[in-house]
Amino acid sequence: MSSHRRPVLAANWKMNLGPAEAESFLDGFVARYEPRDDRTVILFPSALAVAAVRQAIQPRPDLRLGVQNVSTEQKGAFTGENSAAMAAGAGASFVLVGHSERRHIFGETDVQAAQKCVRVVENGLVPVLCVGETIEQRERGETGEVVLHQLRAGVSMLNHEAIREMIVAYEPVWAIGTGRTATPQDASDVHLVLRAALAGLVGENARGIPLLYGGSVNAKNASSLLAAAEVDGLLVGGASLDPVQWAEICSSSVQRIT
Ligand code: 13P
Protein backbone atom coordinates (compact mmCIF):
# COMPACT_ATOMS: atom_id res chain seq x y z
CA MET A 1 0.00 0.00 0.00
CA SER A 2 1.45 3.37 -0.91
CA SER A 3 2.03 5.76 1.96
CA HIS A 4 -0.48 8.34 0.87
CA ARG A 5 -3.43 5.94 1.08
CA ARG A 6 -4.26 7.42 4.42
CA PRO A 7 -6.01 10.64 5.29
CA VAL A 8 -3.89 13.50 3.98
CA LEU A 9 -3.34 16.89 5.56
CA ALA A 10 -1.64 19.17 3.10
CA ALA A 11 -0.35 22.72 3.55
CA ASN A 12 -0.25 24.92 0.45
CA TRP A 13 1.85 27.91 1.43
CA LYS A 14 1.32 29.59 -1.94
CA MET A 15 3.67 32.61 -2.35
CA ASN A 16 4.39 32.86 1.38
CA LEU A 17 7.28 31.75 3.65
CA GLY A 18 10.72 32.04 2.12
CA PRO A 19 13.59 29.78 3.27
CA ALA A 20 14.27 31.52 6.60
CA GLU A 21 10.57 31.84 7.46
CA ALA A 22 10.00 28.20 6.51
CA GLU A 23 12.75 27.14 8.90
CA SER A 24 11.29 29.04 11.81
CA PHE A 25 7.81 27.72 10.92
CA LEU A 26 9.16 24.17 11.11
CA ASP A 27 10.85 24.79 14.47
CA GLY A 28 7.45 25.73 15.84
CA PHE A 29 5.48 23.05 14.02
CA VAL A 30 7.61 19.97 14.79
CA ALA A 31 7.63 20.94 18.46
CA ARG A 32 3.83 20.80 18.45
CA TYR A 33 3.09 17.88 16.12
CA GLU A 34 4.37 14.38 16.92
CA PRO A 35 4.57 11.77 14.13
CA ARG A 36 1.34 9.78 13.68
CA ASP A 37 1.11 6.72 11.48
CA ASP A 38 -2.59 7.09 10.65
CA ARG A 39 -2.21 10.13 8.40
CA THR A 40 0.09 11.76 5.88
CA VAL A 41 1.18 15.38 6.33
CA ILE A 42 2.48 17.12 3.21
CA LEU A 43 4.03 20.58 2.95
CA PHE A 44 3.92 22.51 -0.33
CA PRO A 45 6.37 25.41 0.10
CA SER A 46 7.50 27.85 -2.55
CA ALA A 47 10.03 26.21 -4.90
CA LEU A 48 12.69 28.50 -3.45
CA ALA A 49 12.04 27.21 0.07
CA VAL A 50 12.02 23.51 -0.85
CA ALA A 51 15.69 22.98 0.03
CA ALA A 52 15.27 24.67 3.42
CA VAL A 53 12.17 22.60 4.19
CA ARG A 54 13.84 19.38 3.06
CA GLN A 55 16.73 20.09 5.40
CA ALA A 56 14.49 21.04 8.31
CA ILE A 57 12.31 17.92 8.05
CA GLN A 58 15.20 15.49 7.69
CA PRO A 59 14.72 14.20 11.26
CA ARG A 60 10.97 13.82 10.55
CA PRO A 61 10.37 11.32 7.72
CA ASP A 62 6.65 11.42 8.52
CA LEU A 63 6.52 14.92 7.02
CA ARG A 64 6.39 14.83 3.22
CA LEU A 65 7.38 17.43 0.70
CA GLY A 66 5.67 18.68 -2.44
CA VAL A 67 5.88 21.54 -4.92
CA GLN A 68 3.07 23.84 -6.00
CA ASN A 69 3.59 23.63 -9.74
CA VAL A 70 5.81 22.17 -12.46
CA SER A 71 6.26 22.87 -16.15
CA THR A 72 4.49 20.93 -18.89
CA GLU A 73 7.92 20.68 -20.53
CA GLN A 74 10.73 18.30 -19.59
CA LYS A 75 13.64 20.74 -19.87
CA GLY A 76 15.06 23.53 -21.96
CA ALA A 77 14.62 27.22 -22.68
CA PHE A 78 11.62 27.98 -20.46
CA THR A 79 12.81 30.86 -18.28
CA GLY A 80 11.33 30.85 -14.81
CA GLU A 81 9.91 27.33 -14.98
CA ASN A 82 10.79 24.27 -12.89
CA SER A 83 10.54 20.74 -14.26
CA ALA A 84 9.07 17.68 -12.58
CA ALA A 85 12.52 16.08 -12.74
CA MET A 86 13.94 19.05 -10.79
CA ALA A 87 11.15 18.72 -8.24
CA ALA A 88 12.01 15.05 -7.79
CA GLY A 89 15.72 15.87 -7.48
CA ALA A 90 14.95 18.51 -4.87
CA GLY A 91 13.22 15.93 -2.69
CA ALA A 92 9.56 16.48 -3.54
CA SER A 93 7.19 13.52 -3.67
CA PHE A 94 3.97 15.36 -4.58
CA VAL A 95 2.99 18.12 -7.02
CA LEU A 96 -0.11 20.32 -7.00
CA VAL A 97 -1.58 20.36 -10.50
CA GLY A 98 -4.31 22.68 -11.76
CA HIS A 99 -4.76 24.70 -8.58
CA SER A 100 -7.51 27.26 -9.15
CA GLU A 101 -5.01 30.11 -8.84
CA ARG A 102 -3.02 28.56 -11.69
CA ARG A 103 -6.19 28.11 -13.73
CA HIS A 104 -7.83 31.49 -13.02
CA ILE A 105 -4.89 33.87 -12.51
CA PHE A 106 -2.39 32.31 -14.91
CA GLY A 107 -4.85 30.92 -17.45
CA GLU A 108 -3.73 27.31 -17.09
CA THR A 109 -5.89 24.98 -19.17
CA ASP A 110 -7.18 21.46 -18.68
CA VAL A 111 -4.79 20.30 -21.39
CA GLN A 112 -1.85 21.75 -19.47
CA ALA A 113 -3.10 20.11 -16.26
CA ALA A 114 -3.18 16.78 -18.11
CA GLN A 115 0.34 17.30 -19.48
CA LYS A 116 1.63 18.25 -16.04
CA CYS A 117 0.09 15.12 -14.52
CA VAL A 118 2.02 13.08 -17.10
CA ARG A 119 5.31 14.84 -16.32
CA VAL A 120 4.73 14.34 -12.60
CA VAL A 121 4.03 10.63 -12.94
CA GLU A 122 6.92 10.10 -15.39
CA ASN A 123 9.25 11.40 -12.70
CA GLY A 124 7.90 9.12 -10.01
CA LEU A 125 5.94 11.83 -8.20
CA VAL A 126 2.29 11.89 -7.17
CA PRO A 127 -0.01 14.50 -8.73
CA VAL A 128 -2.54 16.23 -6.49
CA LEU A 129 -5.06 17.30 -9.13
CA CYS A 130 -7.17 20.26 -8.00
CA VAL A 131 -10.69 20.83 -9.28
CA GLY A 132 -13.40 23.29 -8.29
CA GLU A 133 -16.19 25.49 -9.57
CA THR A 134 -16.58 29.28 -9.46
CA ILE A 135 -19.50 30.88 -7.63
CA GLU A 136 -21.20 31.65 -10.96
CA GLN A 137 -20.92 28.02 -12.02
CA ARG A 138 -22.31 26.88 -8.66
CA GLU A 139 -25.24 29.28 -8.92
CA ARG A 140 -26.01 27.99 -12.40
CA GLY A 141 -26.09 24.43 -11.00
CA GLU A 142 -23.00 23.41 -12.96
CA THR A 143 -20.79 22.25 -10.07
CA GLY A 144 -20.91 18.53 -10.90
CA GLU A 145 -20.35 19.09 -14.59
CA VAL A 146 -17.40 21.46 -14.01
CA VAL A 147 -15.52 19.27 -11.54
CA LEU A 148 -16.12 16.13 -13.61
CA HIS A 149 -14.82 17.84 -16.71
CA GLN A 150 -11.69 19.04 -14.86
CA LEU A 151 -11.14 15.59 -13.34
CA ARG A 152 -11.60 13.64 -16.59
CA ALA A 153 -9.48 16.09 -18.57
CA GLY A 154 -6.75 16.14 -15.91
CA VAL A 155 -6.35 12.35 -15.84
CA SER A 156 -6.97 11.83 -19.55
CA MET A 157 -3.32 11.09 -20.34
CA LEU A 158 -2.67 8.84 -17.31
CA ASN A 159 -2.96 5.07 -17.23
CA HIS A 160 -5.05 3.28 -14.60
CA GLU A 161 -2.09 2.56 -12.38
CA ALA A 162 -1.17 6.24 -12.19
CA ILE A 163 -4.77 7.25 -11.49
CA ARG A 164 -4.94 4.75 -8.62
CA GLU A 165 -1.86 6.36 -7.05
CA MET A 166 -2.92 10.00 -7.37
CA ILE A 167 -4.66 12.41 -5.03
CA VAL A 168 -7.59 14.66 -5.98
CA ALA A 169 -8.45 17.90 -4.20
CA TYR A 170 -11.84 19.58 -4.44
CA GLU A 171 -11.39 23.29 -3.88
CA PRO A 172 -14.44 25.42 -4.69
CA VAL A 173 -13.06 28.71 -6.03
CA TRP A 174 -15.59 30.71 -3.97
CA ALA A 175 -14.24 29.16 -0.76
CA ILE A 176 -10.53 29.80 -1.38
CA GLY A 177 -9.13 32.59 0.77
CA THR A 178 -12.60 34.03 1.32
CA GLY A 179 -13.43 32.77 4.80
CA ARG A 180 -16.50 31.17 3.21
CA THR A 181 -16.07 27.43 3.77
CA ALA A 182 -18.15 24.79 2.04
CA THR A 183 -20.33 22.92 4.52
CA PRO A 184 -19.36 19.32 5.22
CA GLN A 185 -22.47 18.39 3.20
CA ASP A 186 -21.39 20.53 0.21
CA ALA A 187 -17.98 18.86 0.29
CA SER A 188 -19.48 15.35 0.59
CA ASP A 189 -21.89 15.95 -2.29
CA VAL A 190 -19.06 16.84 -4.66
CA HIS A 191 -16.70 14.18 -3.31
CA LEU A 192 -19.36 11.53 -4.00
CA VAL A 193 -19.57 12.68 -7.61
CA LEU A 194 -15.77 12.60 -7.93
CA ARG A 195 -15.52 9.16 -6.31
CA ALA A 196 -18.15 7.76 -8.64
CA ALA A 197 -16.29 9.13 -11.66
CA LEU A 198 -13.01 7.66 -10.41
CA ALA A 199 -14.76 4.32 -9.87
CA GLY A 200 -15.89 4.54 -13.50
CA LEU A 201 -12.23 4.87 -14.46
CA VAL A 202 -10.45 2.44 -12.13
CA GLY A 203 -13.24 0.44 -10.46
CA GLU A 204 -12.88 -0.61 -6.83
CA ASN A 205 -9.43 0.96 -6.61
CA ALA A 206 -11.10 4.38 -6.57
CA ARG A 207 -11.68 3.85 -2.83
CA GLY A 208 -7.98 4.22 -2.15
CA ILE A 209 -7.65 7.59 -3.90
CA PRO A 210 -7.58 10.31 -1.23
CA LEU A 211 -10.13 13.06 -1.97
CA LEU A 212 -9.15 16.25 -0.18
CA TYR A 213 -11.30 19.30 0.52
CA GLY A 214 -9.77 22.79 0.39
CA GLY A 215 -11.12 26.30 0.86
CA SER A 216 -11.02 28.37 4.06
CA VAL A 217 -10.21 25.39 6.25
CA ASN A 218 -9.09 26.36 9.75
CA ALA A 219 -8.54 24.73 13.14
CA LYS A 220 -12.20 25.28 14.03
CA ASN A 221 -13.84 23.68 10.99
CA ALA A 222 -11.22 21.01 10.16
CA SER A 223 -12.75 18.23 12.28
CA SER A 224 -16.27 18.59 10.92
CA LEU A 225 -14.99 18.61 7.34
CA LEU A 226 -12.81 15.55 8.01
CA ALA A 227 -15.83 13.75 9.48
CA ALA A 228 -17.86 14.28 6.28
CA ALA A 229 -18.52 11.28 4.06
CA GLU A 230 -15.93 10.83 1.30
CA VAL A 231 -13.64 13.56 2.68
CA ASP A 232 -10.23 11.92 3.12
CA GLY A 233 -8.18 14.95 3.96
CA LEU A 234 -7.69 18.68 3.67
CA LEU A 235 -5.67 21.07 1.51
CA VAL A 236 -5.11 24.20 3.56
CA GLY A 237 -3.85 27.63 2.51
CA GLY A 238 -3.96 30.56 4.95
CA ALA A 239 -4.38 28.53 8.15
CA SER A 240 -1.32 26.42 7.30
CA LEU A 241 0.96 29.47 7.60
CA ASP A 242 0.66 29.53 11.37
CA PRO A 243 2.59 26.62 12.94
CA VAL A 244 0.28 26.49 15.96
CA GLN A 245 -2.90 26.35 13.92
CA TRP A 246 -1.38 23.96 11.39
CA ALA A 247 -0.30 21.60 14.20
CA GLU A 248 -3.83 21.72 15.55
CA ILE A 249 -5.31 20.92 12.12
CA CYS A 250 -2.83 18.06 11.64
CA SER A 251 -3.87 16.64 15.01
CA SER A 252 -7.59 16.50 14.09
CA SER A 253 -9.22 13.11 14.35
CA VAL A 254 -9.33 11.37 10.98
CA GLN A 255 -11.33 8.49 9.48
CA ARG A 256 -9.49 5.57 7.91
CA ILE A 257 -9.73 5.24 4.16
CA THR A 258 -11.33 1.84 3.64
P1 13P B 1 -7.32 28.88 1.88
O1 13P B 1 -7.23 27.77 2.90
O2 13P B 1 -6.45 30.05 2.21
O3 13P B 1 -8.75 29.22 1.58
O4 13P B 1 -6.70 28.28 0.52
C1 13P B 1 -7.12 27.04 0.08
C2 13P B 1 -6.24 26.60 -1.02
O5 13P B 1 -6.27 27.16 -2.10
C3 13P B 1 -5.32 25.50 -0.77
O6 13P B 1 -4.75 25.04 -1.94
Side-chain angles (χ1 to χ4, degrees), residues 10-14 96 99-101 130 169 171-173 175-180 213-218 234-241:
N12 176 8
W13 289 349
K14 308 189 180 183
L96 296 181
H99 188 279
S100 78
E101 287 148 20
C130 304
E171 297 206 304
V173 178
I176 296 178
T178 58
R180 185 175 165 197
Y213 167 79
S216 294
V217 173
N218 57 42
L234 302 170
L235 179 54
V236 185
S240 76
L241 297 173

Coordinates of all heavy atoms in Angstrom, one line a residue, residues 10-14 96 99-101 130 169 171-173 175-180 213-218 234-241, ligand 1:
A10 N -2.6 18.5 4.0 CA -1.6 19.2 3.1 C -1.7 20.7 3.3 O -2.8 21.3 3.3 CB -1.9 18.8 1.6
A11 N -0.5 21.3 3.4 CA -0.3 22.7 3.5 C 0.1 23.3 2.2 O 1.2 23.0 1.8 CB 0.7 23.0 4.6
N12 N -0.7 24.2 1.6 CA -0.2 24.9 0.4 C 0.1 26.3 0.9 O -0.8 27.1 1.2 CB -1.4 24.9 -0.6 CG -1.0 25.8 -1.8 OD1 0.1 26.2 -2.0 ND2 -2.0 26.0 -2.7
W13 N 1.4 26.6 0.9 CA 1.9 27.9 1.4 C 1.7 29.0 0.4 O 2.0 30.2 0.6 CB 3.3 27.8 1.9 CG 3.4 27.0 3.2 CD1 2.4 26.6 4.0 CD2 4.7 26.6 3.8 NE1 2.9 25.9 5.1 CE2 4.3 25.9 5.0 CE3 6.0 26.7 3.5 CZ2 5.3 25.4 5.9 CZ3 7.0 26.2 4.4 CH2 6.6 25.5 5.5
K14 N 1.4 28.6 -0.8 CA 1.3 29.6 -1.9 C 2.6 30.5 -2.0 O 3.7 30.0 -1.7 CB 0.0 30.4 -1.8 CG -1.2 29.4 -1.6 CD -2.5 30.1 -1.7 CE -3.6 29.1 -1.5 NZ -4.9 29.6 -1.6
L96 N 1.2 19.8 -6.8 CA -0.1 20.3 -7.0 C -0.2 20.6 -8.5 O 0.7 21.2 -9.1 CB -0.3 21.6 -6.3 CG -0.3 21.6 -4.7 CD1 -0.6 23.0 -4.2 CD2 -1.3 20.6 -4.2
H99 N -4.2 23.9 -9.7 CA -4.8 24.7 -8.6 C -5.6 25.8 -9.2 O -5.2 26.4 -10.2 CB -3.7 25.2 -7.7 CG -4.2 25.9 -6.4 ND1 -4.7 27.2 -6.4 CD2 -4.4 25.4 -5.2 CE1 -5.1 27.5 -5.2 NE2 -5.0 26.4 -4.4
S100 N -6.6 26.2 -8.5 CA -7.5 27.3 -9.1 C -6.8 28.6 -9.4 O -7.1 29.3 -10.3 CB -8.8 27.5 -8.3 OG -8.4 28.3 -7.2
E101 N -5.8 28.9 -8.6 CA -5.0 30.1 -8.8 C -4.2 30.0 -10.1 O -4.0 30.9 -10.9 CB -4.1 30.5 -7.6 CG -5.0 31.0 -6.5 CD -4.5 30.7 -5.1 OE1 -3.3 30.4 -4.9 OE2 -5.3 30.7 -4.2
C130 N -6.2 19.4 -8.6 CA -7.2 20.3 -8.0 C -8.3 20.6 -9.0 O -8.0 20.9 -10.1 CB -6.5 21.6 -7.5 SG -5.1 21.3 -6.4
A169 N -8.0 16.9 -5.2 CA -8.5 17.9 -4.2 C -9.6 18.7 -4.8 O -9.5 19.2 -5.9 CB -7.3 18.8 -3.8
E171 N -11.5 22.0 -4.5 CA -11.4 23.3 -3.9 C -12.3 24.3 -4.6 O -12.0 24.8 -5.7 CB -10.0 23.8 -4.0 CG -8.9 23.0 -3.3 CD -7.7 23.7 -2.9 OE1 -7.1 24.3 -3.8 OE2 -7.4 23.8 -1.7
P172 N -13.5 24.5 -4.0 CA -14.4 25.4 -4.7 C -13.8 26.8 -4.7 O -13.3 27.3 -3.7 CB -15.7 25.4 -3.8 CG -15.3 24.7 -2.6 CD -14.1 23.9 -2.8
V173 N -13.8 27.4 -5.9 CA -13.1 28.7 -6.0 C -13.6 29.8 -5.1 O -12.9 30.5 -4.5 CB -13.2 29.2 -7.5 CG1 -12.5 30.6 -7.7 CG2 -12.5 28.2 -8.4
A175 N -14.6 29.4 -2.2 CA -14.2 29.2 -0.8 C -12.8 29.4 -0.5 O -12.3 29.4 0.7 CB -14.6 27.7 -0.4
I176 N -12.0 29.7 -1.6 CA -10.5 29.8 -1.4 C -10.2 31.2 -0.9 O -10.4 32.2 -1.6 CB -9.8 29.4 -2.7 CG1 -10.0 28.0 -3.0 CG2 -8.3 29.7 -2.5 CD1 -9.4 27.5 -4.3
G177 N -9.6 31.3 0.3 CA -9.1 32.6 0.8 C -10.2 33.6 1.1 O -10.0 34.8 1.2
T178 N -11.5 33.1 1.1 CA -12.6 34.0 1.3 C -13.2 34.0 2.7 O -14.0 34.8 3.1 CB -13.7 33.7 0.3 OG1 -14.1 32.3 0.6 CG2 -13.3 33.8 -1.1
G179 N -12.8 33.0 3.5 CA -13.4 32.8 4.8 C -14.8 32.1 4.7 O -15.4 31.8 5.7
R180 N -15.2 31.8 3.4 CA -16.5 31.2 3.2 C -16.2 29.7 2.9 O -15.9 29.3 1.8 CB -17.2 31.8 2.0 CG -18.6 31.3 1.8 CD -19.3 32.1 0.7 NE -20.4 31.4 0.2 CZ -21.0 31.6 -0.9 NH1 -20.6 32.6 -1.7 NH2 -22.1 30.9 -1.2
Y213 N -10.5 18.1 0.7 CA -11.3 19.3 0.5 C -10.4 20.5 0.8 O -9.6 20.4 1.8 CB -12.5 19.3 1.5 CG -13.1 20.7 1.5 CD1 -13.9 21.2 0.5 CD2 -12.7 21.6 2.5 CE1 -14.3 22.5 0.5 CE2 -13.1 22.9 2.5 CZ -13.9 23.4 1.5 OH -14.4 24.7 1.4
G214 N -10.5 21.6 0.1 CA -9.8 22.8 0.4 C -10.6 24.0 0.2 O -11.5 24.0 -0.7
G215 N -10.4 25.0 1.0 CA -11.1 26.3 0.9 C -11.5 26.8 2.2 O -12.5 26.3 2.8
S216 N -10.7 27.8 2.8 CA -11.0 28.4 4.1 C -11.1 27.4 5.2 O -11.9 27.5 6.1 CB -12.3 29.2 4.0 OG -12.0 30.4 3.1
V217 N -10.3 26.3 5.1 CA -10.2 25.4 6.2 C -9.4 26.1 7.4 O -8.4 26.7 7.1 CB -9.5 24.1 5.8 CG1 -9.3 23.2 7.0 CG2 -10.3 23.4 4.7
N218 N -9.9 25.9 8.6 CA -9.1 26.4 9.8 C -9.2 25.4 10.9 O -9.8 24.3 10.8 CB -9.6 27.8 10.2 CG -11.1 27.8 10.5 OD1 -11.6 26.9 11.1 ND2 -11.8 28.8 10.0
L234 N -7.5 17.2 3.9 CA -7.7 18.7 3.7 C -6.5 19.3 3.0 O -5.3 18.9 3.2 CB -7.9 19.3 5.0 CG -9.0 18.8 5.9 CD1 -8.9 19.4 7.3 CD2 -10.4 19.2 5.3
L235 N -6.7 20.3 2.1 CA -5.7 21.1 1.5 C -5.9 22.5 2.0 O -6.9 23.1 1.7 CB -5.8 21.0 0.0 CG -4.8 21.8 -0.8 CD1 -3.3 21.4 -0.5 CD2 -5.0 21.5 -2.3
V236 N -4.9 23.0 2.8 CA -5.1 24.2 3.6 C -4.1 25.3 3.1 O -2.9 25.1 3.0 CB -4.9 23.9 5.1 CG1 -5.2 25.1 5.9 CG2 -5.7 22.7 5.5
G237 N -4.7 26.5 2.9 CA -3.9 27.6 2.5 C -3.5 28.5 3.7 O -2.6 28.1 4.5
G238 N -4.3 29.6 3.9 CA -4.0 30.6 4.9 C -3.7 30.0 6.3 O -2.7 30.4 7.0
A239 N -4.5 29.0 6.8 CA -4.4 28.5 8.2 C -3.2 27.6 8.3 O -2.8 27.3 9.4 CB -5.6 27.8 8.6
S240 N -2.5 27.3 7.2 CA -1.3 26.4 7.3 C -0.1 27.3 7.5 O 1.0 26.7 7.6 CB -1.2 25.5 6.1 OG -0.7 26.3 4.9
L241 N -0.2 28.6 7.5 CA 1.0 29.5 7.6 C 1.3 29.7 9.1 O 2.4 30.3 9.3 CB 0.7 30.8 6.9 CG 0.4 30.7 5.4 CD1 0.0 32.1 4.9 CD2 1.7 30.2 4.7
Ligands
13P1 P1 -7.3 28.9 1.9 O1 -7.2 27.8 2.9 O2 -6.4 30.1 2.2 O3 -8.7 29.2 1.6 O4 -6.7 28.3 0.5 C1 -7.1 27.0 0.1 C2 -6.2 26.6 -1.0 O5 -6.3 27.2 -2.1 C3 -5.3 25.5 -0.8 O6 -4.7 25.0 -1.9

